[in-house]
Amino acid sequence: MSLENDALRARDLAVLWHPTTQMKDHEWLPLLPVRSGRGVWLEDMDGGRYIDAISSWWVNLFGHANEHISAAVTRQAQTLEHVILAGVTHEPAVQLAEQLVALTPPGLDRVFYADSGSGAVEIALKMSFHYWRNAGETQRRRFVTLTGSYHGETLGTLAVGDAGLFKEAYEPLLMESLMAPSPDCFGIDPEHWDAHAAQKLQALDDMLRAHAGEVCAVIIEPLVQCAGGMRMYPPSWITGLRALCDRHRVHLIADEIAVGFGRSGTLFACEQAGVTPDFMCLSKGLTGGYLPMSAVMTTNAVYDAFYDEYTSMRGFLHSHSYTGNALACAAALATLELFEASPVLEDNRRTARLMREAVAPLESHPNVGEIRQTGMILAMEMVADRDTMQGWDWRERRGMQVYAHGLENGVLLRPIGNVVYFMPPYIINESEIAQMAEVAMAGIDRAAGL
Ligand SMILES: *Cc1c(COP(=O)(O)O)cnc(C)c1O
């Protein structure tokens, strides 16, 4: 019955090399050959259907083949698909920048486009460093990052992340970051989150004092360290960090690539902390999951430090061929229109509550140590033992069993190690949530050998 699926799989394995994949795994783990998508559903070559519980790596907001976004991209393709952005401008690029300035926290008044999340982080790092260089503080060349953080997989972004295996292999090629403890509240009663986070801030304060004058910026993932296992912490830590950055005169880079555009419960996670970072990196949901695009938002104070006669050599030096791509801008504008068209954030609060209620049976599960949630991200952490909260050894690859169970039962999950999570498109409905939760819970039982 899986004739067409198998045919495409075989052709794929003859020529393709997949991202972040040990290709040998596909000797036993079948690739999912997707022919089409609609709403939260993906359909394979033989008509099998799967709920996209992870929004295709967290990029999709309003479903696959969304009529409104598709129509906007089609219209744009018939007018202007792409044009160089150096020395040239176009309506979609300007309109999108105007809207991003209006929507992001006050003070983020400048937009620099790129084409991927990593690209945006690289730009923020270079801009911060270059800002200090232009200010005559050339000894500032270090970045402070957090344990458990992830900012991408290019050499610069790996260097400011803590992506375990992903980083170790390339360590000799990377610049050295300063690693501060994450405020990660895993295993801590929500009542004590603020106190826990405040304590972690102390170490950061000490680090910034010890490295006075050497640090360009602190880079964080606001509220949720996603790739690090959907580890969460309270807004108060970000508020405290903003004050620390001001006191020690270093930039704050907020990487909202995963949590931006409503994922955290507010349009941007920094809003919950009442904070304006010096740089905000946006991507993933920016185009509703349609096209690769990213943006770095910054302040006029940063912009002005680069603004001078050409011969002063203070200008910012960075470009990508597809910067400001018109199709991507059109997809992003259509995505923002969907936020206007209905009370998305309000509706998401109900959807988030339904997701939480659907996994309530796991509260007493012997191998679920914690169920945590920030907005439209819900994570279930599998543990070998609830008393010690120890996870299973990573070599056992128990999360892969949940993944395989999901594929066999019509749900695309993609656990991160021992962490099973839901990060579905916002349009998921009640019965789809029930199915997603049922399959995930059965998958956890299977991984636990129950
Ligand atoms: C996905 C992600 C990135 C990298 O974005 P790419 O588009 O994959 O390069 C950076 N930071 C965070 C927080 C992310 O989730």
Side-chain angles (χ1 to χ4, degrees):
M1 273 306 285
S2 64
L3 278 179
E4 292 195 43
N5 280 347
D6 284 345
L8 192 62
R9 284 179 186 128
R11 283 171 54 208
D12 175 292
L13 293 176
V15 290
L16 266 173
W17 194 344
H18 289 264
T20 190
T21 298
Q22 171 47 268
M23 291 300 294
K24 194 170 194 308
D25 278 352
H26 286 307
E27 287 178 8
W28 56 272
L29 185 73
L31 278 162
L32 173 59
V34 172
R35 173 163 52 200
S36 64
R38 178 144 305 256
V40 300
W41 294 94
L42 298 169
E43 191 172 313
D44 70 21
M45 304 296 290
D46 293 314
R49 278 157 51 87
Y50 310 80
I51 294 174
D52 185 353
I54 54 163
S55 296
S56 286
W57 255 345
W58 324 338
V59 299
N60 194 293
L61 303 185
F62 296 107
H64 294 279
N66 179 284
E67 278 175 22
H68 183 70
I69 306 174
S70 294
V73 173
T74 304
R75 263 196 318 276
Q76 186 61 44
Q78 287 158 349
T79 314
L80 174 71
E81 78 302 335
H82 180 72
V83 62
I84 176 175
L85 200 68
V88 177
T89 190
H90 55 82
E91 175 68 27
V94 175
Q95 205 184 329
L96 179 59
E98 287 169 347
Q99 294 202 17
L100 291 175
V101 165
L103 292 169
T104 49
L108 294 172
D109 292 330
R110 286 282 162 185
V111 182
F112 193 102
Y113 291 122
D115 53 14
S116 67
S118 318
V121 172
E122 296 272 356
I123 288 162
L125 299 175
K126 281 176 70 176
M127 265 186 192
S128 174
F129 167 80
H130 201 157
Y131 169 93
W132 294 113
R133 183 175 181 265
N134 284 351
E137 302 201 33
T138 50
Q139 68 287 17
R140 288 189 192 261
R141 58 184 67 165
R142 308 197 72 176
F143 294 92
V144 173
T145 182
L146 302 179
T147 53
S149 61
Y150 177 92
H151 298 288
E153 286 166 61
T154 58
L155 295 177
T157 60
L158 269 182
V160 294
D162 182 27
L165 294 173
F166 291 82
K167 183 174 185 179
E168 275 162 34
Y170 309 100
E171 196 84 60
L173 304 180
L174 308 180
M175 66 173 170
E176 231 177 280
S177 299
L178 294 165
M179 189 79 71
S182 165
D184 172 12
C185 290
F186 174 54
I188 291 166
D189 190 325
E191 208 176 297
H192 303 300
W193 277 26
D194 285 324
H196 173 79
Q199 192 195 335
K200 296 290 173 184
L201 217 45
Q202 186 59 49
L204 199 45
D205 191 9
D206 295 343
M207 179 179 279
L208 290 173
R209 191 171 306 107
H211 293 276
E214 297 170 24
V215 173
C216 299
V218 178
I219 181 166
I220 65 162
E221 294 161 87
L223 298 183
V224 189
Q225 294 186 301
C226 293
M230 302 296 166
R231 292 299 182 86
M232 300 176 185
Y233 63 87
S236 61
W237 184 86
I238 304 172
T239 314
L241 175 65
R242 177 71 270 186
L244 276 189
C245 288
D246 290 342
R247 185 161 353 118
H248 293 282
R249 279 183 68 245
V250 303
H251 288 141
L252 173 57
I253 302 172
D255 175 353
E256 294 226 11
I257 289 164
V259 295
F261 299 100
R263 196 49 83 171
S264 74
T266 42
L267 195 56
F268 299 101
C270 282
E271 290 171 31
Q272 294 182 43
V275 152
T276 298
D278 300 284
F279 302 91
M280 182 183 274
C281 301
L282 302 172
S283 188
K284 292 201 164 105
L286 171 60
T287 63
Y290 264 66
L291 285 151
M293 176 179 224
S294 60
V296 179
M297 312 285 303
T298 191
T299 63
N300 276 326
V302 169
Y303 178 78
D304 290 344
F306 291 80
Y307 196 90
D308 205 343
E309 298 300 332
Y310 180 79
T311 49
S312 72
M313 296 306 285
R314 292 161 74 91
F316 185 54
L317 304 166
H318 195 96
S319 66
H320 293 290
S321 310
Y322 281 98
T323 297
N325 178 260
L327 294 174
C329 289
L333 286 165
T335 300
L336 293 177
E337 280 163 10
L338 290 174
F339 277 98
E340 287 276 297
S342 68
V344 174
L345 298 176
E346 200 181 305
D347 293 345
N348 279 357
R349 279 196 279 280
R350 176 171 177 273
T351 309
R353 197 170 57 245
L354 290 173
M355 291 202 299
R356 182 62 185 79
E357 285 164 10
V359 297
L362 290 179
E363 277 158 29
S364 54
H365 195 286
N367 297 102
V368 175
E370 183 176 85
I371 305 169
R372 52 183 177 269
Q373 185 171 30
T374 296
M376 285 293 288
I377 306 173
L378 183 132
M380 297 148 275
E381 182 128 357
M382 301 190 294
V383 293
D385 177 347
R386 259 166 78 124
D387 293 328
T388 64
M389 293 288 256
Q390 275 299 317
W392 285 299
D393 189 301
W394 64 272
R395 293 175 198 85
E396 295 176 18
R397 306 185 76 191
R398 305 254 191 160
M400 286 297 264
Q401 298 183 35
V402 181
Y403 177 71
H405 181 84
L407 285 187
E408 288 161 24
N409 291 277
V411 182
L412 178 62
L413 296 160
R414 199 181 157 89
I416 301 169
N418 290 319
V419 179
V420 181
Y421 68 90
F422 301 148
M423 202 154 159
Y426 300 164
I427 52 157
I428 193 166
N429 69 30
E430 196 162 353
S431 70
E432 291 157 348
I433 289 171
Q435 183 175 342
M436 173 174 78
E438 221 168 277
V439 171
M441 290 190 291
I444 291 171
D445 279 349
R446 180 162 143 187
L450 297 175

